Amino acid sequence: MTAFERSASSLDALTDLLDLRPARPDDGPDRTHLGVVAGRSGPRFLVPLDFPDASPEACLAYLGLRTARTRVSRGAVGLALRYGLDRLVVRDVLTADTGPDSLLALLDDLLEDTDEEPGLAVGIGLSRIDEVWKPTLQVFRPDGTPAAFVKIGLGPVGDRLVATEAATLAAWRDHPDPRLVVPDLIADTTWNGLRLAVVAPLPTDSRRLPPGTVPSAWPVRELDGPEQRSVLADAGWWTERRSACADQAQVDALLDRIEARHGGEHAWARWHGDWVPWNLARCHLGLVAWDWEYSEPGAPVGLDEVHGAYQQAHVVEGRSIAESLAVARTADRWLADAHVAMLVTRSAELERLLGRPPADQPELLGAAADAIGAT
């Protein structure tokens, strides 16, 4: 059993990764202090206490991307840290290993900049562990300037997601497009067998999109060149799913029905994979997009917008899977059915990686069968 599989919380998982332990008077120079900031439901995030200029920025940076409620709570914590009132917001103090061979030492080497003051400060959100959770570290220079985001491929699902993100960001690096602001990939590497994607920070003036605004994903579609057209049975995106799910009877039957209905020619191009408001922003350079963990080449053109509508209904509005599929099915029939195919094959892949079905798989398969049969 891996450390990830033993972890009951994100703090437990980070304890193994960073060798976290309660601060002690005899801690040597190879330890850095992290304050535990708690909310009503328990620990919420870790802030870097050894860097007084960076500590408040772990809460104040990118407040423009937060919801109004989060802006208030994080802003209050950040201001308390800025004015030296740590005791009011920090519940416990832990230390993390910064010695040779530690994760933080590796990041220090990767992000070394001779023009900057040496040292790195790390802030870490303590979100709820779910089936696609992976640790993400926000790294700052000692003066509080954002330096990087670091995604850690903990567990087989995390490894797959981080690998996909790194490969996609590398493609953007090789073929930049000024119509979309995409964070640079600084490093795609490993530590103790875990995959790491070290990603440049977002523009500091990034701001949330207005409520209800989800722009078209058209800039994404040309990353791999012009759109391609082919019949369904010859499209790589489709044939890979068919092959991977050939032994999944329920999924295979759904795909049979979709293929019989839509066997003609369709347009295919790169998609983001999670084109939703919380992965998008505006800055002085234009539209910003991040979290490319589900991106794929040669997907159905328009799938991003359909999945975005589904995610808005399911995640933001809290609707059931069936209700959210109904929202997404206001698109044309092909895209609505392709979206169902994407969801059920993604769930099947998640089952293979986890070694067990995802918690929502029975609900998803039932809703998918109803949706395909009803149209």
Side-chain angles (χ1 to χ4, degrees), residues 43-60:
R44 298 297 301 277
F45 47 97
L46 304 178
V47 294
L49 297 180
D50 291 340
F51 300 89
D53 292 329
S55 182
E57 293 306 309
C59 303
L60 298 174

Side-chain angles (χ1 to χ4, degrees), residues 92-167:
D92 296 303
V93 178
L94 305 175
T95 64
D97 183 15
T98 59
D101 301 324
S102 70
L103 173 58
L104 296 184
L106 171 64
L107 297 180
D108 196 49
D109 289 341
L110 289 173
L111 297 170
E112 183 181 12
D113 188 334
T114 56
D115 294 329
E116 300 282 352
E117 182 183 348
L120 291 175
V122 176
I124 313 169
L126 301 176
S127 57
R128 180 180 62 86
I129 283 187
D130 60 18
E131 291 151 339
V132 297
W133 179 84
K134 68 211 162 305
T136 301
L137 314 183
Q138 190 172 357
V139 185
F140 298 87
R141 302 292 177 191
D143 66 357
T145 303
F149 288 94
V150 180
K151 296 190 175 185
I152 304 170
L154 192 59
V157 177
D159 181 80
R160 174 68 61 86
L161 296 176
V162 171
T164 299
E165 171 129 23

Side-chain angles (χ1 to χ4, degrees), residues 186-372:
I186 297 174
D188 175 13
T189 188
T190 60
W191 173 79
N192 281 5
L194 298 175
R195 188 184 302 272
L196 308 179
V198 183
V199 181
L202 301 173
T204 55
D205 66 337
S206 297
R207 296 291 181 269
R208 288 171 64 89
L209 300 177
T213 302
V214 182
S216 168
W218 63 267
V220 179
R221 297 171 193 155
E222 296 184 10
L223 173 59
D224 307 311
E227 295 177 6
Q228 301 294 312
R229 297 196 65 87
S230 70
V231 297
L232 187 61
D234 293 337
W237 186 89
W238 182 256
T239 57
E240 288 171 11
R241 277 164 171 70
R242 297 248 49 181
S243 175
C245 296
D247 60 345
Q248 301 276 336
Q250 284 181 275
V251 175
D252 193 50
L254 286 169
L255 299 182
D256 275 342
R257 293 163 72 180
I258 294 171
E259 187 166 331
R261 181 181 293 168
H262 302 287
E265 188 177 78
H266 304 283
W268 310 88
R270 168 75 62 168
W271 81 309
H272 176 279
D274 202 11
W275 190 257
V276 290
W278 52 92
N279 291 335
L280 301 168
R282 291 282 181 188
C283 74
H284 69 286
L285 296 172
L287 183 65
V288 189
W290 60 94
D291 279 358
W292 295 81
E293 301 163 348
Y294 294 100
S295 186
E296 297 171 290
V301 169
L303 188 61
D304 265 323
E305 289 81 356
V306 176
H307 187 52
Y310 170 86
Q311 289 284 75
Q312 178 74 23
H314 188 48
V315 177
V316 178
E317 299 171 17
R319 301 194 197 188
S320 68
I321 291 176
E323 292 170 330
S324 302
L325 284 179
V327 170
R329 295 188 76 77
T330 57
D332 71 52
R333 198 180 190 191
W334 154 239
L335 284 176
D337 286 353
H339 178 246
V340 170
M342 182 278 296
L343 288 176
V344 296
T345 54
R346 182 182 285 185
S347 179
E349 176 64 11
L350 189 56
E351 179 179 1
R352 278 192 292 273
L353 293 172
L354 290 170
R356 54 179 171 77
D360 67 352
Q361 190 179 83
E363 181 187 0
L364 172 61
L365 290 174
D370 289 343
I372 295 301

